[in-house]
Each structure stands twice: as C-alpha cells, then as structure tokens.
Amino acid sequence: MVVGDIAGDMDLDWQVCSRARLSRDARFDGKFFIGVLTSRVYCRSICPAPTAKEKNVRYYPSAAAAAEAGFRPCLRCRPECSPGTPAWLGTPNTVSRALRLIAESGLADGGVEVLAEHLGVGSRHLRRLFLQHLGATPSAVARTRRLDFAKKLIDETSLPMSEVALAAGFGCVRRFNAAIREVYRRTPRQIRRLSRQSGVPLENEYVFRLRFRPPYNWNGMLRFLAPRATPGVEEVDSSSYRRSISLNGTHGWLEVSLDEGKDGLAVRVQFGDPRSLFLIIERVRAMFDLNADWAAIAQSLTADPVLAARMAANPGLRVPGCWNGFELAVRAILGQQITVKGATTVAGRLAKTLGRPFAGPGGLTHLFPSTEVLADANLAGLGLTQARSETVRAFARAVLDGRIGFDGVGDSGDFMARMCEIPGIGKWTAQYVAMRALGEPDAFPSGDLGLLRALDLKTPGELERRADAWRPWRAYATMYLWTAAGEQPVLHAGCAVPGPGTDFNLGMRLSAGGRAGKSV
Ligand SMILES: [Zn+2]
C-alpha cells in the first residue's frame, strides 16, 4: 500500500493512519492528513464524511504536503481547524524550532533564507529536513498556515474581507481573493455564507475555537495557572483564564475556556488591531500547549513506573506556556526563595504600581509593566529584597538591549546561558523559563528539589540519568512529578519556610522559582 505520493521516507505508519482514519480517532487529529483521490480533497482523521476505500486514499504528514500534492481542504472537517503539527519523536529540533518561528512570523520577513540563518543551518538543508519530515517545503508550510488562518477568520469572524487579507498576511485583497479561490474553488464571501455564524459579534471582539488532541487536562492547567495569576493582569476562575494583553501599542484582553464536548478551547479576544490576531492566536496555542501529542508522550513516559501511575490518575496534563516570556521571567525572579502565594502578592503590587491602568472585564485592571519601565524602576516598597530588585532591573535591561530575546530562539542552551549571566538568575530559573517560554518539550530543571523528592533520588546527577529515558518529553515528566510532589510539602535549605496559608496545592510552590539559581 502506498503511503502518500511523496511520503516514502517519512515517519508515517500506514497501518496506524488507516486504523485512526477508520475509527475517526481524535488523538491523531492533525498528526496526518488524508488525501482522497476520488474527490481530490484532503481531510482530518476525524472527518465525519463517509470513509473512502483504502485504495483511494493517501496519507500526508502535514496539510501543506496534501495541498502540494494537489488536494483541496475538505469543507466538512475543515483541516485548518485541526490541532497543530506536534513536535513528535524523531523530528529534529531544527524542524520543530522552524515551525515555531513560522508560527510567530508567518515567514513574513525574508522567507526561507532568513529562517535558515536564524536556525544556524543552510537553507537547502532546511528544505530537505522539511520535505523529509513534513512532506513540504518551509514556504509551502507557511503558505498553508496563512490560508488556514484566513479561512478561520472568514468562518469564525465578521471581519471585512480587506481586513482578513491583511490579518492573514496577504498584503493585498486581490492576492487573498485569488489564493482563496484557487484553493477552495469559492470566493471568500461564498465561504462566509456557508459558515452559518450566529449572533452579532461586538466590535473588535472575536471568538476562536482551537482544537487539541484529547485527552486534555483543563482542570490541571487551571490549577497550575490560578495560584500564579498576577492580580489585576490575570484572572482564573473555576472554568476560565482571562488576561490583559498588549501588542505593538494596542491593548486588549483575552479569555480562554473549554469548548465543552468539542476537543478544543474557546478563545474570546478583544483587540483593536486585527493584524495582530494571527500572533495572538498562535501565542494562545503555545500558552495552552495545544500542539502536544499526548498519545506519543504517554507511550514514551509510561515506561517509568512512577510516571505511569501519575499519568493514569491524571491523564492529559500539558506544559503551561506563557503569554509573554519577559513577564514570565520577571514572575520567576520575584518568586525566588518565597512561596507561590508570596510571589503572586508581590507581582500584583508590581503590576498595580508600575503597570499601565487598563479597564477590562472581571478584575482586569492593569497591563503588566513594560520592559522599559522595569529597566530603571524603583521597586522599593514592593516587598522585594535589594538584590532581587536589582536582578529584575538587570534582566529588563538585558531584554531591552537585545542580549536576551524570546522571539525566534534557535538554541535553548544559548538562551539559558545568557539568562545565567544576569546576577541573581541561576540555572533553575533559566530552565524553568525555557520550559515555559520557549515551548521546549525536553526542557528540564534537573536541579529541582521537588523532582528529586518525588523520585526519592539524592543528586541532580542521578536525576539526569533517570530522566534520559524520558527524552524528548522531560518537560511533561516534570509537570507530572511536580503534581506528585505536591502531596507532600517539600522544604529545603535556601527556601523560605512557608508561613501559614501557604498554598501547597499540587506542590506548584516548587515551580515558582522556589529556589534561587545559586542554591541548585
Ligand atoms: Zn473531511
């Protein structure tokens, strides 16, 4: 049986694809696409349309590959709504990093050459890797992403088509119209009429539905985010996460909740500049780890008996990302050597004293302070030590003058080394920030005392050896072990003794920078 016209040396297993297709298995949604030879459309594994005969289908590792092979996206299962391409086993880091960069920039400035330069590889090599693992070139992947996002905006918003064209990176309406017609054989307006939108949306307000591959532990995500939510900037209630946002001088807010029964999240965005919607949605995807391939992660981590028990009890845990790397890192610095609760209080004071006032819904009163403001802010009176205040300022200055950046990080080792050059930032904080801000599935705080305790190990060396078997998913193992450690409060030298009311829920105390870098 043929696995796609061009899929000969790719990681697709025909039998797995076939079983997933016939059972419409949502765990495989977005891991491969099905080209149907008779209709010339391509589908997700969950397509509700009657299943085609095996001899009439081809399997592709990405939507772009199916599109390149001449298939059009199915209007029923809407491939543009599938969860993103997972960073799966066997894919070189270069490919996952390139995908992340394409998600951030849409390959807008400079194309493949610039992308390759950023990653430190030749552009021909990058093309070859993409063809091998995704079945399509970087430009084809970027093109498909732009089209996918345009289709989402047509279907899910009432944004004027001229704005859709700009927001999806088409530059001009004529090119946008031509591209949509070529792919969908319909005009953008015809597609919008088919989408059956209900209700009249408010101005500058959009609702997006973003899919994941089940299981997804939404409550686990909220339980992690809730105690760390910066008062005034973020709010977490029993069912949703809300925050103020700021991009390129425009301010707004977003709210994320579970799209019940749909294997996805519903994201409500209030933002004045539609050109930023692509970036906002990509950041939400990263923040809630929607591209994760839980089936692959589980298969690999359950070989460790401690992890297996935790995963069976609590399936679908994700690695929480962040809205903004700078904000997360500042929050991690504030949390060094104090409890999560204490750090949250200090972060709230910081936001209310130095952040810009903002009128949002449900408790959102401020934007997080900008890099410029924190670079020479007077932090006296916020409850920080002198040394910690200086670390926050030094870090902000390093971000401001470009020594540390969060966009398009090609090498997380280099990123962590730069972080550690700042006095007061140690290995633990750098690893924690890399894990949450760079979306590195293999990032691992090997010096974390909570992890040692959870596994009853004595030294980081022992922990690193044990963790070798968890590659490339060590960040997920970390989440499970932190959850496990939470059942017993863990104290150690260099960590302030928690006072009354300390929040030991899920042991997340450990992850808020509970120890300064130098103590690990
Ligand atoms: Zn379909």
Short mmCIF file of all heavy atoms in Angstrom, two decimals, residues 235-274:
data_model
loop_
_atom_site.label_atom_id
_atom_site.label_comp_id
_atom_site.label_asym_id
_atom_site.label_seq_id
_atom_site.Cartn_x
_atom_site.Cartn_y
_atom_site.Cartn_z
N GLU A 235 -6.70 36.64 35.57
CA GLU A 235 -7.75 36.15 36.46
C GLU A 235 -8.05 34.71 36.08
O GLU A 235 -8.20 34.41 34.90
CB GLU A 235 -9.03 36.97 36.28
CG GLU A 235 -9.05 38.30 37.00
CD GLU A 235 -9.28 38.11 38.50
OE1 GLU A 235 -10.13 37.28 38.89
OE2 GLU A 235 -8.58 38.78 39.27
N VAL A 236 -8.14 33.85 37.08
CA VAL A 236 -8.54 32.47 36.80
C VAL A 236 -9.73 32.15 37.69
O VAL A 236 -9.67 32.37 38.90
CB VAL A 236 -7.38 31.49 37.10
CG1 VAL A 236 -7.81 30.05 36.80
CG2 VAL A 236 -6.14 31.85 36.30
N ASP A 237 -10.82 31.71 37.11
CA ASP A 237 -11.93 31.23 37.93
C ASP A 237 -12.10 29.73 37.69
O ASP A 237 -11.23 29.09 37.11
CB ASP A 237 -13.21 32.04 37.69
CG ASP A 237 -13.66 31.98 36.24
OD1 ASP A 237 -13.42 30.93 35.58
OD2 ASP A 237 -14.24 32.96 35.75
N SER A 238 -13.20 29.15 38.13
CA SER A 238 -13.31 27.70 38.09
C SER A 238 -13.35 27.15 36.67
O SER A 238 -13.09 25.97 36.45
CB SER A 238 -14.56 27.26 38.84
OG SER A 238 -15.69 27.86 38.21
N SER A 239 -13.63 27.99 35.68
CA SER A 239 -13.73 27.43 34.33
C SER A 239 -12.95 28.20 33.27
O SER A 239 -12.87 27.75 32.13
CB SER A 239 -15.20 27.36 33.91
OG SER A 239 -15.74 28.66 33.88
N SER A 240 -12.38 29.35 33.62
CA SER A 240 -11.71 30.09 32.55
C SER A 240 -10.49 30.87 33.03
O SER A 240 -10.31 31.10 34.23
CB SER A 240 -12.69 31.05 31.87
OG SER A 240 -13.19 31.97 32.81
N TYR A 241 -9.67 31.24 32.05
CA TYR A 241 -8.48 32.06 32.27
C TYR A 241 -8.66 33.34 31.47
O TYR A 241 -9.10 33.32 30.32
CB TYR A 241 -7.24 31.31 31.77
CG TYR A 241 -6.00 32.18 31.73
CD1 TYR A 241 -5.17 32.28 32.84
CD2 TYR A 241 -5.67 32.90 30.59
CE1 TYR A 241 -4.03 33.09 32.81
CE2 TYR A 241 -4.55 33.71 30.55
CZ TYR A 241 -3.73 33.80 31.67
OH TYR A 241 -2.61 34.60 31.63
N ARG A 242 -8.32 34.46 32.09
CA ARG A 242 -8.53 35.76 31.45
C ARG A 242 -7.30 36.63 31.69
O ARG A 242 -6.70 36.53 32.75
CB ARG A 242 -9.72 36.42 32.14
CG ARG A 242 -10.44 37.47 31.39
CD ARG A 242 -11.83 37.79 31.98
NE ARG A 242 -11.98 37.66 33.40
CZ ARG A 242 -12.66 36.69 34.01
NH1 ARG A 242 -13.25 35.76 33.32
NH2 ARG A 242 -12.75 36.65 35.32
N ARG A 243 -6.92 37.47 30.72
CA ARG A 243 -5.80 38.38 30.98
C ARG A 243 -5.83 39.59 30.06
O ARG A 243 -6.44 39.57 28.99
CB ARG A 243 -4.46 37.66 30.84
CG ARG A 243 -4.13 37.22 29.41
CD ARG A 243 -2.63 36.97 29.28
NE ARG A 243 -1.94 38.20 29.58
CZ ARG A 243 -0.84 38.28 30.33
NH1 ARG A 243 -0.28 37.21 30.80
NH2 ARG A 243 -0.27 39.46 30.57
N SER A 244 -5.14 40.64 30.50
CA SER A 244 -4.96 41.81 29.65
C SER A 244 -3.76 41.55 28.74
O SER A 244 -2.84 40.82 29.12
CB SER A 244 -4.71 43.06 30.50
OG SER A 244 -3.56 42.89 31.30
N ILE A 245 -3.81 42.11 27.54
CA ILE A 245 -2.69 41.90 26.60
C ILE A 245 -2.32 43.21 25.92
O ILE A 245 -3.15 44.12 25.82
CB ILE A 245 -3.04 40.85 25.52
CG1 ILE A 245 -4.29 41.26 24.72
CG2 ILE A 245 -3.24 39.48 26.14
CD1 ILE A 245 -4.60 40.33 23.56
N SER A 246 -1.10 43.29 25.48
CA SER A 246 -0.61 44.48 24.81
C SER A 246 0.36 44.06 23.71
O SER A 246 1.28 43.29 23.95
CB SER A 246 0.11 45.37 25.84
OG SER A 246 0.59 46.52 25.21
N LEU A 247 0.11 44.55 22.49
CA LEU A 247 1.00 44.22 21.36
C LEU A 247 1.12 45.44 20.46
O LEU A 247 0.10 46.00 20.05
CB LEU A 247 0.40 43.09 20.52
CG LEU A 247 0.59 41.64 20.96
CD1 LEU A 247 -0.21 40.72 20.04
CD2 LEU A 247 2.05 41.24 20.95
N ASN A 248 2.35 45.82 20.16
CA ASN A 248 2.60 46.94 19.24
C ASN A 248 1.76 48.17 19.58
O ASN A 248 1.17 48.79 18.69
CB ASN A 248 2.32 46.52 17.78
CG ASN A 248 3.07 45.25 17.42
OD1 ASN A 248 4.21 45.07 17.82
ND2 ASN A 248 2.43 44.37 16.69
N GLY A 249 1.65 48.48 20.85
CA GLY A 249 0.97 49.72 21.24
C GLY A 249 -0.55 49.60 21.34
O GLY A 249 -1.22 50.57 21.71
N THR A 250 -1.11 48.45 21.00
CA THR A 250 -2.56 48.27 21.15
C THR A 250 -2.81 47.37 22.36
O THR A 250 -2.05 46.44 22.60
CB THR A 250 -3.16 47.62 19.88
OG1 THR A 250 -2.81 48.43 18.76
CG2 THR A 250 -4.67 47.51 19.96
N HIS A 251 -3.86 47.68 23.12
CA HIS A 251 -4.17 46.90 24.31
C HIS A 251 -5.50 46.19 24.16
O HIS A 251 -6.39 46.68 23.46
CB HIS A 251 -4.20 47.79 25.55
CG HIS A 251 -3.08 48.77 25.61
ND1 HIS A 251 -1.77 48.38 25.46
CD2 HIS A 251 -3.07 50.12 25.74
CE1 HIS A 251 -1.00 49.45 25.52
NE2 HIS A 251 -1.76 50.51 25.67
N GLY A 252 -5.67 45.10 24.86
CA GLY A 252 -6.93 44.37 24.81
C GLY A 252 -6.93 43.28 25.87
O GLY A 252 -6.15 43.32 26.82
N TRP A 253 -7.78 42.31 25.69
CA TRP A 253 -7.80 41.19 26.65
C TRP A 253 -8.23 39.92 25.94
O TRP A 253 -8.75 39.96 24.82
CB TRP A 253 -8.74 41.48 27.83
CG TRP A 253 -10.15 41.86 27.45
CD1 TRP A 253 -10.63 43.12 27.30
CD2 TRP A 253 -11.26 40.97 27.17
NE1 TRP A 253 -11.96 43.09 26.94
CE2 TRP A 253 -12.37 41.78 26.87
CE3 TRP A 253 -11.40 39.59 27.17
CZ2 TRP A 253 -13.62 41.24 26.54
CZ3 TRP A 253 -12.65 39.05 26.85
CH2 TRP A 253 -13.73 39.88 26.54
N LEU A 254 -7.99 38.81 26.59
CA LEU A 254 -8.49 37.55 26.05
C LEU A 254 -8.98 36.67 27.17
O LEU A 254 -8.58 36.83 28.32
CB LEU A 254 -7.42 36.84 25.21
CG LEU A 254 -6.07 36.52 25.83
CD1 LEU A 254 -6.10 35.21 26.61
CD2 LEU A 254 -5.04 36.39 24.71
N GLU A 255 -9.86 35.76 26.81
CA GLU A 255 -10.43 34.84 27.79
C GLU A 255 -10.47 33.45 27.17
O GLU A 255 -10.92 33.30 26.03
CB GLU A 255 -11.84 35.29 28.16
CG GLU A 255 -12.48 34.45 29.24
CD GLU A 255 -13.88 34.96 29.56
OE1 GLU A 255 -14.81 34.68 28.78
OE2 GLU A 255 -14.02 35.67 30.57
N VAL A 256 -10.00 32.46 27.90
CA VAL A 256 -9.91 31.10 27.37
C VAL A 256 -10.73 30.17 28.26
O VAL A 256 -10.60 30.20 29.48
CB VAL A 256 -8.44 30.62 27.33
CG1 VAL A 256 -8.34 29.26 26.68
CG2 VAL A 256 -7.57 31.63 26.61
N SER A 257 -11.57 29.37 27.63
CA SER A 257 -12.32 28.37 28.40
C SER A 257 -12.42 27.10 27.57
O SER A 257 -12.07 27.07 26.39
CB SER A 257 -13.71 28.90 28.77
OG SER A 257 -14.36 29.33 27.61
N LEU A 258 -12.88 26.03 28.20
CA LEU A 258 -13.00 24.76 27.50
C LEU A 258 -14.21 24.83 26.57
O LEU A 258 -15.27 25.31 26.96
CB LEU A 258 -13.19 23.65 28.53
CG LEU A 258 -13.03 22.21 28.03
CD1 LEU A 258 -11.60 21.95 27.56
CD2 LEU A 258 -13.39 21.23 29.16
N ASP A 259 -14.04 24.38 25.32
CA ASP A 259 -15.16 24.30 24.38
C ASP A 259 -15.80 22.93 24.61
O ASP A 259 -15.40 21.94 24.00
CB ASP A 259 -14.61 24.44 22.95
CG ASP A 259 -15.70 24.73 21.95
OD1 ASP A 259 -16.85 24.93 22.36
OD2 ASP A 259 -15.39 24.76 20.74
N GLU A 260 -16.76 22.90 25.51
CA GLU A 260 -17.29 21.63 26.02
C GLU A 260 -17.68 20.66 24.90
O GLU A 260 -18.36 21.03 23.96
CB GLU A 260 -18.53 21.89 26.89
CG GLU A 260 -18.26 22.64 28.19
CD GLU A 260 -17.55 21.79 29.25
OE1 GLU A 260 -17.42 20.56 29.04
OE2 GLU A 260 -17.12 22.38 30.27
N GLY A 261 -17.21 19.44 25.04
CA GLY A 261 -17.59 18.39 24.11
C GLY A 261 -16.98 18.51 22.72
O GLY A 261 -17.34 17.79 21.80
N LYS A 262 -16.02 19.43 22.55
CA LYS A 262 -15.50 19.67 21.20
C LYS A 262 -14.01 19.39 21.06
O LYS A 262 -13.42 19.73 20.05
CB LYS A 262 -15.78 21.13 20.81
CG LYS A 262 -17.24 21.46 20.60
CD LYS A 262 -17.66 21.06 19.19
CE LYS A 262 -19.14 21.26 18.94
NZ LYS A 262 -19.57 22.63 19.20
N ASP A 263 -13.36 18.83 22.06
CA ASP A 263 -11.91 18.65 21.99
C ASP A 263 -11.20 19.95 21.62
O ASP A 263 -10.34 19.98 20.74
CB ASP A 263 -11.53 17.57 20.96
CG ASP A 263 -11.92 16.18 21.43
OD1 ASP A 263 -12.07 15.99 22.66
OD2 ASP A 263 -12.07 15.28 20.58
N GLY A 264 -11.59 21.01 22.30
CA GLY A 264 -10.94 22.27 21.98
C GLY A 264 -11.17 23.32 23.04
O GLY A 264 -11.89 23.10 24.02
N LEU A 265 -10.52 24.47 22.84
CA LEU A 265 -10.71 25.61 23.72
C LEU A 265 -11.41 26.72 22.95
O LEU A 265 -11.23 26.86 21.74
CB LEU A 265 -9.36 26.14 24.22
CG LEU A 265 -8.47 25.15 24.99
CD1 LEU A 265 -7.18 25.85 25.43
CD2 LEU A 265 -9.19 24.56 26.19
N ALA A 266 -12.24 27.48 23.66
CA ALA A 266 -12.86 28.66 23.06
C ALA A 266 -12.09 29.88 23.55
O ALA A 266 -11.86 30.03 24.74
CB ALA A 266 -14.32 28.75 23.48
N VAL A 267 -11.67 30.71 22.61
CA VAL A 267 -10.87 31.88 22.97
C VAL A 267 -11.62 33.13 22.53
O VAL A 267 -11.92 33.30 21.34
CB VAL A 267 -9.49 31.85 22.26
CG1 VAL A 267 -8.64 33.02 22.74
CG2 VAL A 267 -8.80 30.53 22.51
N ARG A 268 -11.94 33.99 23.47
CA ARG A 268 -12.58 35.26 23.16
C ARG A 268 -11.50 36.33 23.22
O ARG A 268 -10.78 36.42 24.21
CB ARG A 268 -13.67 35.54 24.20
CG ARG A 268 -14.43 36.82 24.00
CD ARG A 268 -15.41 37.01 25.15
NE ARG A 268 -16.42 35.96 25.16
CZ ARG A 268 -17.55 36.01 24.45
NH1 ARG A 268 -17.81 37.06 23.71
NH2 ARG A 268 -18.39 35.03 24.49
N VAL A 269 -11.36 37.08 22.15
CA VAL A 269 -10.30 38.10 22.08
C VAL A 269 -10.93 39.46 21.85
O VAL A 269 -11.78 39.61 20.97
CB VAL A 269 -9.33 37.81 20.90
CG1 VAL A 269 -8.22 38.86 20.87
CG2 VAL A 269 -8.74 36.43 21.00
N GLN A 270 -10.54 40.43 22.63
CA GLN A 270 -10.94 41.81 22.41
C GLN A 270 -9.68 42.57 22.05
O GLN A 270 -8.79 42.72 22.89
CB GLN A 270 -11.56 42.36 23.71
CG GLN A 270 -12.72 43.31 23.53
CD GLN A 270 -12.32 44.66 22.95
OE1 GLN A 270 -11.20 45.08 23.10
NE2 GLN A 270 -13.25 45.32 22.30
N PHE A 271 -9.58 42.99 20.79
CA PHE A 271 -8.34 43.65 20.37
C PHE A 271 -8.62 44.56 19.18
O PHE A 271 -9.31 44.16 18.25
CB PHE A 271 -7.28 42.60 20.01
CG PHE A 271 -5.88 43.11 20.14
CD1 PHE A 271 -5.30 43.29 21.39
CD2 PHE A 271 -5.14 43.44 19.02
CE1 PHE A 271 -4.01 43.78 21.52
CE2 PHE A 271 -3.85 43.92 19.14
CZ PHE A 271 -3.28 44.09 20.39
N GLY A 272 -8.05 45.76 19.21
CA GLY A 272 -8.38 46.76 18.21
C GLY A 272 -7.69 46.60 16.87
O GLY A 272 -8.13 47.16 15.88
N ASP A 273 -6.62 45.82 16.81
CA ASP A 273 -5.87 45.71 15.56
C ASP A 273 -5.91 44.28 15.03
O ASP A 273 -5.17 43.42 15.51
CB ASP A 273 -4.42 46.16 15.81
CG ASP A 273 -3.60 46.13 14.52
OD1 ASP A 273 -4.16 45.75 13.46
OD2 ASP A 273 -2.40 46.46 14.57
N PRO A 274 -6.77 44.02 14.02
CA PRO A 274 -6.91 42.64 13.54
C PRO A 274 -5.62 42.06 12.97
O PRO A 274 -5.47 40.85 12.87
CB PRO A 274 -8.00 42.73 12.48
CG PRO A 274 -8.20 44.16 12.19
CD PRO A 274 -7.67 44.95 13.33
#
